[in-house]
PDB file of all heavy atoms in Angstrom:
ATOM      1  N   ILE A  66     -19.996   1.237 -15.834  1.00 84.00           N
ATOM      2  CA  ILE A  66     -20.008   1.243 -14.365  1.00 84.00           C
ATOM      3  C   ILE A  66     -18.918   2.141 -13.867  1.00 84.00           C
ATOM      4  O   ILE A  66     -19.089   2.861 -12.860  1.00 84.00           O
ATOM      5  CB  ILE A  66     -19.850  -0.202 -13.779  1.00 84.00           C
ATOM      6  CG1 ILE A  66     -21.076  -1.008 -14.229  1.00 84.00           C
ATOM      7  CG2 ILE A  66     -19.689  -0.183 -12.312  1.00 84.00           C
ATOM      8  CD1 ILE A  66     -20.945  -2.481 -13.779  1.00 84.00           C
ATOM      9  N   ILE A 110     -16.463  -6.383  -9.214  1.00 79.00           N
ATOM     10  CA  ILE A 110     -16.703  -5.336  -8.227  1.00 79.00           C
ATOM     11  C   ILE A 110     -15.900  -5.542  -6.915  1.00 79.00           C
ATOM     12  O   ILE A 110     -15.159  -4.673  -6.515  1.00 79.00           O
ATOM     13  CB  ILE A 110     -18.207  -5.085  -7.942  1.00 79.00           C
ATOM     14  CG1 ILE A 110     -18.957  -4.848  -9.259  1.00 79.00           C
ATOM     15  CG2 ILE A 110     -18.410  -4.001  -6.926  1.00 79.00           C
ATOM     16  CD1 ILE A 110     -18.501  -3.567  -9.935  1.00 79.00           C
ATOM     17  N   GLU A 189     -28.591 -13.806 -12.558  1.00 80.00           N
ATOM     18  CA  GLU A 189     -29.573 -12.807 -13.068  1.00 80.00           C
ATOM     19  C   GLU A 189     -29.707 -11.668 -12.171  1.00 80.00           C
ATOM     20  O   GLU A 189     -29.727 -10.504 -12.617  1.00 80.00           O
ATOM     21  CB  GLU A 189     -30.890 -13.505 -13.342  1.00 80.00           C
ATOM     22  CG  GLU A 189     -30.922 -14.376 -14.553  1.00 80.00           C
ATOM     23  CD  GLU A 189     -32.116 -15.275 -14.638  1.00 80.00           C
ATOM     24  OE1 GLU A 189     -33.146 -15.003 -13.888  1.00 80.00           O
ATOM     25  OE2 GLU A 189     -32.154 -16.250 -15.374  1.00 80.00           O
ATOM     26  N   GLY A 190     -29.748 -11.964 -10.859  1.00 82.00           N
ATOM     27  CA  GLY A 190     -29.883 -10.823  -9.890  1.00 82.00           C
ATOM     28  C   GLY A 190     -28.670  -9.958  -9.954  1.00 82.00           C
ATOM     29  O   GLY A 190     -28.789  -8.718  -9.818  1.00 82.00           O
ATOM     30  N   MET A 191     -27.493 -10.580 -10.165  1.00 77.00           N
ATOM     31  CA  MET A 191     -26.269  -9.763 -10.224  1.00 77.00           C
ATOM     32  C   MET A 191     -26.264  -8.864 -11.470  1.00 77.00           C
ATOM     33  O   MET A 191     -25.813  -7.729 -11.407  1.00 77.00           O
ATOM     34  CB  MET A 191     -25.029 -10.655 -10.199  1.00 77.00           C
ATOM     35  CG  MET A 191     -24.657 -11.107  -8.814  1.00 77.00           C
ATOM     36  SD  MET A 191     -23.199 -12.167  -8.869  1.00 77.00           S
ATOM     37  CE  MET A 191     -22.733 -12.142  -7.170  1.00 77.00           C
ATOM     38  N   SER A 192     -26.787  -9.375 -12.575  1.00 76.00           N
ATOM     39  CA  SER A 192     -26.817  -8.557 -13.765  1.00 76.00           C
ATOM     40  C   SER A 192     -27.779  -7.364 -13.540  1.00 76.00           C
ATOM     41  O   SER A 192     -27.490  -6.236 -13.970  1.00 76.00           O
ATOM     42  CB  SER A 192     -27.308  -9.254 -14.999  1.00 76.00           C
ATOM     43  OG  SER A 192     -26.953 -10.569 -14.981  1.00 76.00           O
ATOM     44  N   ILE A 193     -28.867  -7.615 -12.835  1.00 82.00           N
ATOM     45  CA  ILE A 193     -29.797  -6.507 -12.499  1.00 82.00           C
ATOM     46  C   ILE A 193     -29.103  -5.497 -11.598  1.00 82.00           C
ATOM     47  O   ILE A 193     -29.194  -4.308 -11.851  1.00 82.00           O
ATOM     48  CB  ILE A 193     -31.107  -7.050 -11.831  1.00 82.00           C
ATOM     49  CG1 ILE A 193     -31.894  -7.873 -12.832  1.00 82.00           C
ATOM     50  CG2 ILE A 193     -31.906  -5.915 -11.243  1.00 82.00           C
ATOM     51  CD1 ILE A 193     -33.013  -8.665 -12.216  1.00 82.00           C
ATOM     52  N   GLY A 194     -28.361  -5.992 -10.622  1.00 81.00           N
ATOM     53  CA  GLY A 194     -27.567  -5.143  -9.774  1.00 81.00           C
ATOM     54  C   GLY A 194     -26.597  -4.316 -10.587  1.00 81.00           C
ATOM     55  O   GLY A 194     -26.436  -3.113 -10.344  1.00 81.00           O
ATOM     56  N   GLY A 195     -25.929  -4.985 -11.535  1.00 76.00           N
ATOM     57  CA  GLY A 195     -24.954  -4.303 -12.425  1.00 76.00           C
ATOM     58  C   GLY A 195     -25.557  -3.146 -13.170  1.00 76.00           C
ATOM     59  O   GLY A 195     -24.970  -2.115 -13.345  1.00 76.00           O
ATOM     60  N   GLY A 196     -26.824  -3.262 -13.585  1.00 79.00           N
ATOM     61  CA  GLY A 196     -27.512  -2.201 -14.287  1.00 79.00           C
ATOM     62  C   GLY A 196     -27.761  -0.970 -13.377  1.00 79.00           C
ATOM     63  O   GLY A 196     -27.758   0.145 -13.827  1.00 79.00           O
ATOM     64  N   MET A 197     -27.928  -1.286 -12.093  1.00 84.00           N
ATOM     65  CA  MET A 197     -28.171  -0.161 -11.159  1.00 84.00           C
ATOM     66  C   MET A 197     -26.928   0.455 -10.656  1.00 84.00           C
ATOM     67  O   MET A 197     -26.897   1.684 -10.353  1.00 84.00           O
ATOM     68  CB  MET A 197     -29.002  -0.703  -9.980  1.00 84.00           C
ATOM     69  CG  MET A 197     -30.363  -1.189 -10.343  1.00 84.00           C
ATOM     70  SD  MET A 197     -31.402  -1.438  -8.928  1.00 84.00           S
ATOM     71  CE  MET A 197     -30.602  -2.812  -8.123  1.00 84.00           C
ATOM     72  N   VAL A 198     -25.866  -0.323 -10.573  1.00 81.00           N
ATOM     73  CA  VAL A 198     -24.609   0.134  -9.964  1.00 81.00           C
ATOM     74  C   VAL A 198     -24.059   1.337 -10.737  1.00 81.00           C
ATOM     75  O   VAL A 198     -23.376   2.231 -10.198  1.00 81.00           O
ATOM     76  CB  VAL A 198     -23.610  -1.047  -9.940  1.00 81.00           C
ATOM     77  CG1 VAL A 198     -22.180  -0.506  -9.897  1.00 81.00           C
ATOM     78  CG2 VAL A 198     -23.872  -1.916  -8.738  1.00 81.00           C
ATOM     79  N   VAL A 199     -24.370   1.409 -12.053  1.00 79.00           N
ATOM     80  CA  VAL A 199     -23.927   2.524 -12.892  1.00 79.00           C
ATOM     81  C   VAL A 199     -24.283   3.883 -12.259  1.00 79.00           C
ATOM     82  O   VAL A 199     -23.490   4.804 -12.326  1.00 79.00           O
ATOM     83  CB  VAL A 199     -24.606   2.424 -14.262  1.00 79.00           C
ATOM     84  CG1 VAL A 199     -24.153   3.526 -15.159  1.00 79.00           C
ATOM     85  CG2 VAL A 199     -24.284   1.074 -14.920  1.00 79.00           C
ATOM     86  N   ALA A 200     -25.413   3.899 -11.516  1.00 85.00           N
ATOM     87  CA  ALA A 200     -25.855   5.173 -10.956  1.00 85.00           C
ATOM     88  C   ALA A 200     -24.900   5.650  -9.891  1.00 85.00           C
ATOM     89  O   ALA A 200     -24.774   6.915  -9.742  1.00 85.00           O
ATOM     90  CB  ALA A 200     -27.217   4.940 -10.282  1.00 85.00           C
ATOM     91  N   VAL A 201     -24.135   4.800  -9.266  1.00 83.00           N
ATOM     92  CA  VAL A 201     -23.218   5.282  -8.145  1.00 83.00           C
ATOM     93  C   VAL A 201     -22.146   6.166  -8.801  1.00 83.00           C
ATOM     94  O   VAL A 201     -21.813   7.215  -8.282  1.00 83.00           O
ATOM     95  CB  VAL A 201     -22.577   4.068  -7.416  1.00 83.00           C
ATOM     96  CG1 VAL A 201     -21.688   4.546  -6.375  1.00 83.00           C
ATOM     97  CG2 VAL A 201     -23.679   3.145  -6.848  1.00 83.00           C
ATOM     98  N   GLY A 202     -21.544   5.707  -9.937  1.00 77.00           N
ATOM     99  CA  GLY A 202     -20.538   6.477 -10.608  1.00 77.00           C
ATOM    100  C   GLY A 202     -21.001   7.885 -11.003  1.00 77.00           C
ATOM    101  O   GLY A 202     -20.377   8.898 -10.742  1.00 77.00           O
ATOM    102  N   ALA A 204     -23.557   9.444  -9.686  1.00 85.00           N
ATOM    103  CA  ALA A 204     -23.843  10.199  -8.487  1.00 85.00           C
ATOM    104  C   ALA A 204     -22.550  10.854  -7.948  1.00 85.00           C
ATOM    105  O   ALA A 204     -22.580  12.023  -7.532  1.00 85.00           O
ATOM    106  CB  ALA A 204     -24.469   9.332  -7.441  1.00 85.00           C
TER     107      ALA A 204
ATOM    108  N   VAL B 215     -28.634   3.940 -16.884  1.00 82.00           N
ATOM    109  CA  VAL B 215     -28.968   3.337 -15.614  1.00 82.00           C
ATOM    110  C   VAL B 215     -30.165   2.423 -15.845  1.00 82.00           C
ATOM    111  O   VAL B 215     -31.216   2.895 -16.308  1.00 82.00           O
ATOM    112  CB  VAL B 215     -29.291   4.388 -14.537  1.00 82.00           C
ATOM    113  CG1 VAL B 215     -29.704   3.746 -13.214  1.00 82.00           C
ATOM    114  CG2 VAL B 215     -28.098   5.285 -14.305  1.00 82.00           C
ATOM    115  N   ASN B 216     -29.994   1.159 -15.574  1.00 78.00           N
ATOM    116  CA  ASN B 216     -31.038   0.162 -15.866  1.00 78.00           C
ATOM    117  C   ASN B 216     -31.703  -0.303 -14.616  1.00 78.00           C
ATOM    118  O   ASN B 216     -31.104  -0.899 -13.788  1.00 78.00           O
ATOM    119  CB  ASN B 216     -30.354  -1.056 -16.533  1.00 78.00           C
ATOM    120  CG  ASN B 216     -30.412  -0.991 -18.030  1.00 78.00           C
ATOM    121  OD1 ASN B 216     -31.503  -0.598 -18.580  1.00 78.00           O
ATOM    122  ND2 ASN B 216     -29.310  -1.235 -18.685  1.00 78.00           N
ATOM    123  N   ILE B 217     -32.956   0.007 -14.517  1.00 80.00           N
ATOM    124  CA  ILE B 217     -33.760  -0.564 -13.452  1.00 80.00           C
ATOM    125  C   ILE B 217     -35.145  -0.770 -13.946  1.00 80.00           C
ATOM    126  O   ILE B 217     -35.763   0.131 -14.475  1.00 80.00           O
ATOM    127  CB  ILE B 217     -33.681   0.331 -12.193  1.00 80.00           C
ATOM    128  CG1 ILE B 217     -34.625  -0.151 -11.085  1.00 80.00           C
ATOM    129  CG2 ILE B 217     -33.926   1.758 -12.442  1.00 80.00           C
ATOM    130  CD1 ILE B 217     -34.325   0.440  -9.723  1.00 80.00           C
ATOM    131  N   LEU B 282     -34.395   8.597  -9.889  1.00 91.00           N
ATOM    132  CA  LEU B 282     -34.604   8.540  -8.412  1.00 91.00           C
ATOM    133  C   LEU B 282     -33.451   7.697  -7.829  1.00 91.00           C
ATOM    134  O   LEU B 282     -32.936   8.061  -6.758  1.00 91.00           O
ATOM    135  CB  LEU B 282     -35.921   7.822  -8.121  1.00 91.00           C
ATOM    136  CG  LEU B 282     -37.140   8.690  -8.460  1.00 91.00           C
ATOM    137  CD1 LEU B 282     -38.421   7.931  -8.178  1.00 91.00           C
ATOM    138  CD2 LEU B 282     -37.122   9.981  -7.668  1.00 91.00           C
ATOM    139  N   LEU B 283     -33.042   6.660  -8.506  1.00 91.00           N
ATOM    140  CA  LEU B 283     -31.940   5.811  -7.989  1.00 91.00           C
ATOM    141  C   LEU B 283     -30.661   6.668  -7.877  1.00 91.00           C
ATOM    142  O   LEU B 283     -29.937   6.586  -6.878  1.00 91.00           O
ATOM    143  CB  LEU B 283     -31.704   4.653  -8.940  1.00 91.00           C
ATOM    144  CG  LEU B 283     -30.562   3.719  -8.573  1.00 91.00           C
ATOM    145  CD1 LEU B 283     -30.916   3.009  -7.262  1.00 91.00           C
ATOM    146  CD2 LEU B 283     -30.351   2.650  -9.636  1.00 91.00           C
ATOM    147  N   THR B 284     -30.414   7.480  -8.953  1.00 91.00           N
ATOM    148  CA  THR B 284     -29.201   8.304  -8.924  1.00 91.00           C
ATOM    149  C   THR B 284     -29.242   9.336  -7.796  1.00 91.00           C
ATOM    150  O   THR B 284     -28.287   9.524  -7.133  1.00 91.00           O
ATOM    151  CB  THR B 284     -29.101   9.012 -10.312  1.00 91.00           C
ATOM    152  OG1 THR B 284     -29.223   8.073 -11.294  1.00 91.00           O
ATOM    153  CG2 THR B 284     -27.739   9.720 -10.434  1.00 91.00           C
ATOM    154  N   GLY B 286     -30.863   9.039  -5.086  1.00 93.00           N
ATOM    155  CA  GLY B 286     -30.686   8.275  -3.819  1.00 93.00           C
ATOM    156  C   GLY B 286     -29.217   8.030  -3.555  1.00 93.00           C
ATOM    157  O   GLY B 286     -28.752   8.208  -2.386  1.00 93.00           O
ATOM    158  N   CYS B 287     -28.474   7.656  -4.610  1.00 91.00           N
ATOM    159  CA  CYS B 287     -27.018   7.422  -4.416  1.00 91.00           C
ATOM    160  C   CYS B 287     -26.314   8.679  -4.003  1.00 91.00           C
ATOM    161  O   CYS B 287     -25.427   8.720  -3.181  1.00 91.00           O
ATOM    162  CB  CYS B 287     -26.436   6.895  -5.728  1.00 91.00           C
ATOM    163  SG  CYS B 287     -26.933   5.237  -6.179  1.00 91.00           S
ATOM    164  N   MET B 288     -26.693   9.876  -4.640  1.00 91.00           N
ATOM    165  CA  MET B 288     -26.106  11.116  -4.328  1.00 91.00           C
ATOM    166  C   MET B 288     -26.282  11.445  -2.852  1.00 91.00           C
ATOM    167  O   MET B 288     -25.384  11.891  -2.173  1.00 91.00           O
ATOM    168  CB  MET B 288     -26.683  12.221  -5.135  1.00 91.00           C
ATOM    169  CG  MET B 288     -26.234  12.229  -6.567  1.00 91.00           C
ATOM    170  SD  MET B 288     -27.146  13.452  -7.545  1.00 91.00           S
ATOM    171  CE  MET B 288     -26.746  14.960  -6.650  1.00 91.00           C
ATOM    172  N   LEU B 290     -26.855   9.280  -0.392  1.00 92.00           N
ATOM    173  CA  LEU B 290     -26.059   8.435   0.421  1.00 92.00           C
ATOM    174  C   LEU B 290     -24.594   8.843   0.472  1.00 92.00           C
ATOM    175  O   LEU B 290     -23.958   8.839   1.470  1.00 92.00           O
ATOM    176  CB  LEU B 290     -26.193   6.988  -0.094  1.00 92.00           C
ATOM    177  CG  LEU B 290     -27.462   6.253   0.229  1.00 92.00           C
ATOM    178  CD1 LEU B 290     -27.551   4.897  -0.524  1.00 92.00           C
ATOM    179  CD2 LEU B 290     -27.651   6.031   1.695  1.00 92.00           C
ATOM    180  N   SER B 296     -19.673   5.026   2.011  1.00 80.00           N
ATOM    181  CA  SER B 296     -18.647   4.725   0.996  1.00 80.00           C
ATOM    182  C   SER B 296     -19.242   4.209  -0.291  1.00 80.00           C
ATOM    183  O   SER B 296     -20.189   3.449  -0.260  1.00 80.00           O
ATOM    184  CB  SER B 296     -17.675   3.721   1.542  1.00 80.00           C
ATOM    185  OG  SER B 296     -17.119   2.979   0.535  1.00 80.00           O
ATOM    186  N   PRO B 297     -18.701   4.709  -1.451  1.00 77.00           N
ATOM    187  CA  PRO B 297     -19.303   4.181  -2.721  1.00 77.00           C
ATOM    188  C   PRO B 297     -19.250   2.705  -2.821  1.00 77.00           C
ATOM    189  O   PRO B 297     -20.116   2.078  -3.488  1.00 77.00           O
ATOM    190  CB  PRO B 297     -18.367   4.863  -3.766  1.00 77.00           C
ATOM    191  CG  PRO B 297     -17.279   5.538  -3.054  1.00 77.00           C
ATOM    192  CD  PRO B 297     -17.749   5.692  -1.645  1.00 77.00           C
ATOM    193  N   ILE B 298     -18.238   2.087  -2.191  1.00 75.00           N
ATOM    194  CA  ILE B 298     -18.056   0.611  -2.338  1.00 75.00           C
ATOM    195  C   ILE B 298     -19.262  -0.040  -1.601  1.00 75.00           C
ATOM    196  O   ILE B 298     -19.816  -1.045  -2.096  1.00 75.00           O
ATOM    197  CB  ILE B 298     -16.741   0.220  -1.778  1.00 75.00           C
ATOM    198  CG1 ILE B 298     -15.658   0.741  -2.768  1.00 75.00           C
ATOM    199  CG2 ILE B 298     -16.667  -1.294  -1.587  1.00 75.00           C
ATOM    200  CD1 ILE B 298     -14.335   1.022  -2.103  1.00 75.00           C
ATOM    201  N   VAL B 299     -19.617   0.492  -0.445  1.00 83.00           N
ATOM    202  CA  VAL B 299     -20.751  -0.075   0.291  1.00 83.00           C
ATOM    203  C   VAL B 299     -22.046   0.028  -0.546  1.00 83.00           C
ATOM    204  O   VAL B 299     -22.814  -0.883  -0.616  1.00 83.00           O
ATOM    205  CB  VAL B 299     -20.927   0.676   1.654  1.00 83.00           C
ATOM    206  CG1 VAL B 299     -22.189   0.242   2.283  1.00 83.00           C
ATOM    207  CG2 VAL B 299     -19.720   0.438   2.559  1.00 83.00           C
ATOM    208  N   ILE B 300     -22.182   1.230  -1.222  1.00 85.00           N
ATOM    209  CA  ILE B 300     -23.436   1.407  -2.026  1.00 85.00           C
ATOM    210  C   ILE B 300     -23.437   0.440  -3.173  1.00 85.00           C
ATOM    211  O   ILE B 300     -24.455  -0.187  -3.498  1.00 85.00           O
ATOM    212  CB  ILE B 300     -23.491   2.877  -2.579  1.00 85.00           C
ATOM    213  CG1 ILE B 300     -23.414   3.869  -1.404  1.00 85.00           C
ATOM    214  CG2 ILE B 300     -24.748   3.065  -3.386  1.00 85.00           C
ATOM    215  CD1 ILE B 300     -23.394   5.275  -1.878  1.00 85.00           C
ATOM    216  N   ILE B 301     -22.277   0.224  -3.812  1.00 80.00           N
ATOM    217  CA  ILE B 301     -22.207  -0.672  -4.948  1.00 80.00           C
ATOM    218  C   ILE B 301     -22.578  -2.111  -4.495  1.00 80.00           C
ATOM    219  O   ILE B 301     -23.467  -2.764  -5.107  1.00 80.00           O
ATOM    220  CB  ILE B 301     -20.801  -0.637  -5.577  1.00 80.00           C
ATOM    221  CG1 ILE B 301     -20.597   0.663  -6.310  1.00 80.00           C
ATOM    222  CG2 ILE B 301     -20.615  -1.846  -6.505  1.00 80.00           C
ATOM    223  CD1 ILE B 301     -19.172   0.864  -6.810  1.00 80.00           C
ATOM    224  N   LEU B 302     -21.964  -2.599  -3.435  1.00 81.00           N
ATOM    225  CA  LEU B 302     -22.296  -3.872  -2.959  1.00 81.00           C
ATOM    226  C   LEU B 302     -23.742  -4.002  -2.535  1.00 81.00           C
ATOM    227  O   LEU B 302     -24.424  -5.002  -2.791  1.00 81.00           O
ATOM    228  CB  LEU B 302     -21.393  -4.279  -1.806  1.00 81.00           C
ATOM    229  CG  LEU B 302     -19.883  -4.400  -2.108  1.00 81.00           C
ATOM    230  CD1 LEU B 302     -19.055  -4.674  -0.922  1.00 81.00           C
ATOM    231  CD2 LEU B 302     -19.681  -5.482  -3.148  1.00 81.00           C
ATOM    232  N   GLY B 303     -24.249  -2.912  -1.912  1.00 87.00           N
ATOM    233  CA  GLY B 303     -25.666  -2.902  -1.539  1.00 87.00           C
ATOM    234  C   GLY B 303     -26.598  -3.050  -2.680  1.00 87.00           C
ATOM    235  O   GLY B 303     -27.622  -3.775  -2.638  1.00 87.00           O
ATOM    236  N   LEU B 304     -26.278  -2.335  -3.795  1.00 87.00           N
ATOM    237  CA  LEU B 304     -27.153  -2.415  -4.985  1.00 87.00           C
ATOM    238  C   LEU B 304     -27.159  -3.827  -5.531  1.00 87.00           C
ATOM    239  O   LEU B 304     -28.179  -4.342  -6.050  1.00 87.00           O
ATOM    240  CB  LEU B 304     -26.668  -1.419  -6.051  1.00 87.00           C
ATOM    241  CG  LEU B 304     -27.069   0.005  -5.790  1.00 87.00           C
ATOM    242  CD1 LEU B 304     -26.498   0.950  -6.809  1.00 87.00           C
ATOM    243  CD2 LEU B 304     -28.643   0.169  -5.736  1.00 87.00           C
ATOM    244  N   PHE B 305     -26.013  -4.531  -5.483  1.00 83.00           N
ATOM    245  CA  PHE B 305     -26.005  -5.930  -5.948  1.00 83.00           C
ATOM    246  C   PHE B 305     -26.922  -6.780  -5.148  1.00 83.00           C
ATOM    247  O   PHE B 305     -27.667  -7.598  -5.667  1.00 83.00           O
ATOM    248  CB  PHE B 305     -24.555  -6.486  -5.938  1.00 83.00           C
ATOM    249  CG  PHE B 305     -23.806  -6.260  -7.190  1.00 83.00           C
ATOM    250  CD1 PHE B 305     -22.757  -5.387  -7.188  1.00 83.00           C
ATOM    251  CD2 PHE B 305     -24.161  -6.839  -8.380  1.00 83.00           C
ATOM    252  CE1 PHE B 305     -22.049  -5.050  -8.379  1.00 83.00           C
ATOM    253  CE2 PHE B 305     -23.466  -6.620  -9.525  1.00 83.00           C
ATOM    254  CZ  PHE B 305     -22.431  -5.709  -9.525  1.00 83.00           C
ATOM    255  N   ILE B 306     -26.915  -6.582  -3.822  1.00 88.00           N
ATOM    256  CA  ILE B 306     -27.762  -7.311  -2.955  1.00 88.00           C
ATOM    257  C   ILE B 306     -29.209  -7.016  -3.244  1.00 88.00           C
ATOM    258  O   ILE B 306     -30.058  -7.900  -3.403  1.00 88.00           O
ATOM    259  CB  ILE B 306     -27.432  -6.997  -1.416  1.00 88.00           C
ATOM    260  CG1 ILE B 306     -26.051  -7.531  -1.149  1.00 88.00           C
ATOM    261  CG2 ILE B 306     -28.458  -7.643  -0.508  1.00 88.00           C
ATOM    262  CD1 ILE B 306     -25.473  -7.076   0.159  1.00 88.00           C
ATOM    263  N   VAL B 307     -29.514  -5.702  -3.426  1.00 89.00           N
ATOM    264  CA  VAL B 307     -30.879  -5.304  -3.797  1.00 89.00           C
ATOM    265  C   VAL B 307     -31.318  -6.017  -5.128  1.00 89.00           C
ATOM    266  O   VAL B 307     -32.394  -6.503  -5.226  1.00 89.00           O
ATOM    267  CB  VAL B 307     -30.964  -3.772  -3.988  1.00 89.00           C
ATOM    268  CG1 VAL B 307     -32.315  -3.366  -4.590  1.00 89.00           C
ATOM    269  CG2 VAL B 307     -30.828  -3.107  -2.611  1.00 89.00           C
ATOM    270  N   GLY B 308     -30.376  -6.032  -6.060  1.00 87.00           N
ATOM    271  CA  GLY B 308     -30.685  -6.701  -7.331  1.00 87.00           C
ATOM    272  C   GLY B 308     -31.001  -8.128  -7.168  1.00 87.00           C
ATOM    273  O   GLY B 308     -32.031  -8.620  -7.755  1.00 87.00           O
ATOM    274  N   ILE B 309     -30.230  -8.853  -6.377  1.00 87.00           N
ATOM    275  CA  ILE B 309     -30.422 -10.227  -6.208  1.00 87.00           C
ATOM    276  C   ILE B 309     -31.723 -10.528  -5.419  1.00 87.00           C
ATOM    277  O   ILE B 309     -32.589 -11.306  -5.891  1.00 87.00           O
ATOM    278  CB  ILE B 309     -29.210 -10.901  -5.463  1.00 87.00           C
ATOM    279  CG1 ILE B 309     -27.971 -10.808  -6.323  1.00 87.00           C
ATOM    280  CG2 ILE B 309     -29.528 -12.381  -5.102  1.00 87.00           C
ATOM    281  CD1 ILE B 309     -26.658 -11.033  -5.592  1.00 87.00           C
ATOM    282  N   VAL B 310     -31.874  -9.848  -4.286  1.00 90.00           N
ATOM    283  CA  VAL B 310     -33.098 -10.046  -3.521  1.00 90.00           C
ATOM    284  C   VAL B 310     -34.356  -9.643  -4.313  1.00 90.00           C
ATOM    285  O   VAL B 310     -35.346 -10.380  -4.344  1.00 90.00           O
ATOM    286  CB  VAL B 310     -33.026  -9.241  -2.166  1.00 90.00           C
ATOM    287  CG1 VAL B 310     -34.325  -9.303  -1.438  1.00 90.00           C
ATOM    288  CG2 VAL B 310     -31.898  -9.751  -1.333  1.00 90.00           C
ATOM    289  N   GLY B 311     -34.253  -8.508  -4.994  1.00 89.00           N
ATOM    290  CA  GLY B 311     -35.372  -7.979  -5.785  1.00 89.00           C
ATOM    291  C   GLY B 311     -35.760  -9.011  -6.844  1.00 89.00           C
ATOM    292  O   GLY B 311     -36.971  -9.217  -7.126  1.00 89.00           O
ATOM    293  N   HIS B 312     -34.809  -9.622  -7.475  1.00 88.00           N
ATOM    294  CA  HIS B 312     -35.072 -10.584  -8.541  1.00 88.00           C
ATOM    295  C   HIS B 312     -35.716 -11.851  -7.922  1.00 88.00           C
ATOM    296  O   HIS B 312     -36.676 -12.397  -8.507  1.00 88.00           O
ATOM    297  CB  HIS B 312     -33.751 -10.971  -9.260  1.00 88.00           C
ATOM    298  CG  HIS B 312     -33.967 -11.897 -10.397  1.00 88.00           C
ATOM    299  ND1 HIS B 312     -34.708 -11.591 -11.487  1.00 88.00           N
ATOM    300  CD2 HIS B 312     -33.517 -13.122 -10.587  1.00 88.00           C
ATOM    301  CE1 HIS B 312     -34.719 -12.599 -12.300  1.00 88.00           C
ATOM    302  NE2 HIS B 312     -34.009 -13.554 -11.814  1.00 88.00           N
ATOM    303  N   LEU B 317     -37.886  -7.154  -9.444  1.00 77.00           N
ATOM    304  CA  LEU B 317     -37.070  -6.607 -10.480  1.00 77.00           C
ATOM    305  C   LEU B 317     -36.868  -7.576 -11.686  1.00 77.00           C
ATOM    306  O   LEU B 317     -36.895  -8.763 -11.480  1.00 77.00           O
ATOM    307  CB  LEU B 317     -35.693  -6.231  -9.925  1.00 77.00           C
ATOM    308  CG  LEU B 317     -35.699  -5.132  -8.918  1.00 77.00           C
ATOM    309  CD1 LEU B 317     -34.385  -5.002  -8.182  1.00 77.00           C
ATOM    310  CD2 LEU B 317     -36.023  -3.767  -9.489  1.00 77.00           C
TER     311      LEU B 317
END
Side-chain angles (χ1 to χ4, degrees):
Chain A
I66 295 177
I110 303 300
E189 283 167 18
M191 279 180 164
S192 329
I193 291 170
M197 297 194 291
V198 157
V199 181
V201 180
Chain B
V215 177
N216 264 316
I217 172 164
L282 291 177
L283 180 65
T284 311
C287 290
M288 286 173 59
L290 285 173
S296 153
I298 291 150
V299 172
I300 304 177
I301 288 173
L302 295 177
L304 282 176
F305 271 110
I306 293 168
V307 170
I309 294 165
V310 173
H312 183 62
L317 295 167

